[in-house]
Amino acid sequence: MNRFLNSISSIILSNFTRLQHPYKLTFAVTYHCNSRCTICSIWQKPHKKELSLIEIQQFFKKNTTFSWINLTGGEILLRNDLIPIINTIIKTQKKLLFLNFPTNGLLTEKIVKNVQEIIRLNPSHFIVSVSLDGPEKLHDRLRGIQGNWKRAVRTYQQLKDLRSSHFDCYFGMTISAYNYTAIEQTYIDLKKWIPDLKRSDIHFNIVHQSSHYYGNEEKNLSLNEAMINKITAYNKKKKFAWTKIALIERIYQNLISKYIQTKKTPLSCMALSSSVFLDPYGNIYPCTMWSYPLGNIRNYNMDLKHMWNRDSTTYALAQIRKKNCSNCWTPCEAYQTILGNLPKAMTSIFIKS
């Protein structure tokens, strides 16, 4: 209960002022990846020296105020020390309420075994999303790996057997010009393999570009209204549940149209107010999308508080508030932005979709 109250307190406070420390951390633990995605070039990044387990342990021992940690990659299951990393997170983050990460689903046995081990560490709320970007042939083509679809579905089938009040899993579909017309067919095909699949078991986000994260700034990933029309058509067939995640997701999706029309973040972004991004090499950025480096955590003795109020951080925060940043609407940044703008965000629930 204390973790829940601490989290709620931080969320409420973020609606009125900048927090003294971020409650959400997005941490890319590795850029190594066994996918070859069309819309992402993380797998093409040159291999550099990533933060070691000892350095990651030092970081989390110095920074103990996170209530939400989103681990990402690359494919994070390629780090053989993932369990010690997550064990450190759970032991040091006494306020941690929510832990989540995505997987491409390729390494089914390893993924399921690791998730079982993480569940035994007893995180409060733990979610894994399995990436799936279309029907079988389309998904395998977009992911660049033959047989990826079948392995991702098999991974999901085994993970859903582990569901409990503390663990959940779902499919994550990144909507782009390559696959938006296949949203409904993706669900139809999945139902053949997973008869009890619900429409709410597929979550959507829209494609983005980022030079420091995805490394895909040269790709043509333009957004259009047809994408939101397809998402809307799908959602009209979906039962709406008044759960916390369903509410946030509905707000996120309802505001996609405004984002596509304006190319501006539809709410006041909470990057550097509630959240921050740490890459595998220790570099700190406001978020996953804006390529504005704030320094390397190694140079701050692994302590975030030394950079949180620096002049360069204050300047970056001012630019974000003026929307002079990259402007995005990716869930990694949008969800805490929704939580930090609750009065405005809640009105979007009633937008017809």
Side-chain angles (χ1 to χ4, degrees), residues 48 64 90 99-100 124 134 138 141 165 207 220 260 266 279 320 340:
K48 299 179 183 179
T64 61
I90 291 172
L99 173 71
N100 68 301
S124 293
L138 176 60
R141 178 166 61 82
S165 58
V207 69
N220 182 15
I260 290 175
D279 81 0
I320 291 168

Side-chain angles (χ1 to χ4, degrees), residues 86-302:
I86 292 180
N87 185 43
T88 297
I89 288 171
I90 291 172
K91 283 186 175 180
T92 59
Q93 307 304 305
K94 301 304 181 183
K95 296 181 180 181
L96 186 66
L97 183 68
F98 189 42
L99 173 71
N100 68 301
F101 63 75
T103 177
N104 57 25
L106 284 170
L107 304 172
T108 300
E109 290 185 9
K110 185 175 184 180
I111 294 165
V112 174
K113 181 183 177 184
N114 274 248
V115 168
Q116 288 173 325
E117 291 184 44
I118 295 168
I119 290 172
R120 284 195 286 271
L121 295 174
N122 199 31
S124 293
H125 294 88
F126 173 36
I127 292 181
V128 174
S129 61
V130 180
S131 300
L132 200 79
D133 294 334
E136 184 173 357
K137 289 183 179 179
L138 176 60
H139 176 77
D140 287 359
R141 178 166 61 82
L142 291 178
R143 291 275 159 172
I145 302 291
Q146 191 69 27
N148 192 333
W149 193 89
K150 283 187 173 70
R151 280 187 268 178
V153 172
R154 192 177 302 120
T155 297
Y156 175 84
Q157 287 174 311
Q158 294 187 33
L159 289 180
K160 78 182 185 70
D161 291 337
L162 304 176
R163 278 175 167 165
S164 70
S165 58
H166 297 285
F167 172 70
D168 202 359
C169 61
Y170 58 81
F171 286 113
M173 186 172 182
T174 299
I175 306 302
S176 70
Y178 296 105
N179 67 351
Y180 73 92
T181 60
I183 292 174
E184 183 66 21
Q185 191 61 48
T186 301
Y187 172 72
I188 292 170
D189 288 3
L190 283 172
K191 283 284 283 186
K192 296 173 184 176
W193 285 64
I194 312 169
D196 61 346
L197 187 79
K198 300 175 184 175
R199 286 183 176 270
S200 58
D201 288 328
I202 303 176
H203 293 219
F204 303 117
N205 63 83
I206 52 175
V207 69
H208 279 79
Q209 292 174 299
S210 169
S211 59
H212 74 281
Y213 181 47
Y214 293 122
N216 62 351
E217 66 275 19
E218 301 301 322
K219 296 181 182 289
N220 182 15
L221 301 175
S222 59
L223 302 171
N224 58 67
E225 281 289 342
M227 294 179 183
I228 188 59
N229 292 338
K230 289 293 183 181
I231 295 174
T232 299
Y234 179 90
N235 285 339
K236 284 181 177 177
K237 300 177 183 179
K238 180 174 69 176
K239 282 187 176 181
F240 180 69
W242 288 89
T243 64
K244 294 186 288 293
I245 292 177
L247 281 170
I248 293 173
E249 187 177 25
R250 178 163 180 165
I251 292 168
Y252 168 77
Q253 293 182 8
N254 281 355
L255 289 172
I256 290 175
S257 182
K258 184 176 180 181
Y259 172 70
I260 290 175
Q261 290 170 357
T262 65
K263 302 298 187 293
K264 296 287 186 180
T265 305
L267 297 171
S268 297
C269 182
M270 289 291 108
L272 292 185
S273 290
S274 300
S275 60
V276 72
F277 172 61
L278 178 66
D279 81 0
Y281 317 125
N283 298 310
I284 307 161
Y285 293 88
C287 63
T288 52
M289 295 299 116
W290 190 24
S291 300
Y292 186 90
L294 296 168
N296 192 288
I297 197 66
R298 292 178 173 119
N299 299 327
Y300 296 112
N301 196 28
M302 295 296 177

